[in-house]
Amino acid sequence: MREIIQRENYGLGSKTLLDSLSSMESVKILLVSDSHGSRIILREIFQKFGKSVDLLCFCGDGIPDLVDCIEQGFWDKELGECIPEAMFFVQGNGDNSTAMILTDDRCSLFVPVQVSFNAAGKEVFLTHGHKFDVYYGTKDLYKNAVSIGADIVFYGHTHIANAQIKHHTQSNGEKKPISLLNPGSCSIPRGGMPHTFAIVTLSKAQKEVEYHYYEIQRDETGDFIFIPYAPPEKEVSLIW
């Protein structure tokens, strides 16, 4: 990560990249959530996938882990090259509203509860999910997406990977797809689910998003491996 500066839109990193997201033909996003202290796993994800994406979206509950990786990447150039040039992040129910990145300088971060941005012509809404009662499902998240005109919602909190595509009928009768994507937890999954995260590609050429989820495992030598995973596409509720 070359520029450790938080911008006016709460994005961190390259101003050039953050300013150009909306005009890019396609944007590849590393989507991660709920690391809950597992900095090693987060670092491994960056080392494997960080160079191949344009942007990181972190859905909260692990901001100290993210800060630690950024700090370590400042001193360890090999790791630093693997941390995406730009990122958006939000405050989970276990995170503070501020953080400090310590390198040879100090970068004070504000950690918003939610953030919106445009990438490849798509409106993205990023939040942790606890403010929208996602333990009960995505009904409130979907309503909010419709009200603000979002095309994609990224969220976490449940620790269960989930990928839903819903369709909203607009005033002109056209159906607009709205993607609700939860990468699951890379650290502490629930409900017997695996440790997961996702790579999401947004494109101006197609309405619906392209996503690939990965399960995190260790091989016989103890090294991390990443296996393609098909997430549930139906509503998930932790409280029935």
Side-chain angles (χ1 to χ4, degrees), residues 107-162:
C107 177
S108 179
L109 300 180
F110 174 69
V111 187
V113 172
Q114 58 195 43
V115 66
S116 296
F117 62 94
N118 189 287
K122 305 285 194 302
E123 288 297 324
V124 181
F125 179 69
L126 172 65
T127 190
H128 184 59
H130 59 301
K131 299 290 186 179
F132 293 91
D133 293 326
V134 294
Y135 277 2
Y136 294 91
T138 58
K139 181 179 178 181
D140 289 345
L141 264 183
Y142 173 72
K143 284 184 177 179
N144 182 73
V146 170
S147 69
I148 65 175
D151 299 293
I152 301 104
V153 178
F154 295 147
Y155 72 103
H157 191 50
T158 64
H159 295 211
I160 294 177
N162 191 227

Side-chain angles (χ1 to χ4, degrees), residues 102-219:
L102 302 176
T103 55
D104 57 355
D105 199 356
R106 291 170 176 259
C107 177
S108 179
L109 300 180
F110 174 69
V111 187
V113 172
Q114 58 195 43
V115 66
S116 296
F117 62 94
N118 189 287
K122 305 285 194 302
E123 288 297 324
V124 181
F125 179 69
L126 172 65
T127 190
H128 184 59
H130 59 301
K131 299 290 186 179
F132 293 91
D133 293 326
V134 294
Y135 277 2
Y136 294 91
T138 58
K139 181 179 178 181
D140 289 345
L141 264 183
Y142 173 72
K143 284 184 177 179
N144 182 73
V146 170
S147 69
I148 65 175
D151 299 293
I152 301 104
V153 178
F154 295 147
Y155 72 103
H157 191 50
T158 64
H159 295 211
I160 294 177
N162 191 227
Q164 296 183 59
I165 310 296
K166 299 188 177 184
H167 291 83
H168 169 63
T169 303
Q170 302 178 97
S171 57
N172 61 2
E174 183 178 348
K175 287 191 175 182
K176 171 185 174 179
I178 298 177
S179 302
L180 305 170
L181 304 180
N182 185 331
S185 172
C186 65
S187 172
I188 312 172
R190 293 188 178 119
M193 305 295 283
H195 303 71
T196 53
F197 64 95
I199 302 288
V200 181
T201 302
L202 311 182
S203 172
K204 285 187 175 181
Q206 57 187 52
K207 287 185 177 182
E208 298 202 2
V209 305
E210 176 186 336
Y211 57 82
H212 299 278
Y213 281 61
Y214 293 89
E215 177 180 344
I216 306 165
Q217 294 186 6
R218 286 183 183 268
D219 63 17

Side-chain angles (χ1 to χ4, degrees), residues 75-97:
W75 304 109
D76 180 344
K77 300 306 180 185
E78 185 175 349
L79 173 61
E81 290 177 357
C82 296
I83 296 176
E85 281 189 62
M87 61 183 69
F88 288 100
F89 46 80
V90 289
Q91 180 187 154
N93 56 295
D95 293 320
N96 293 324
S97 60

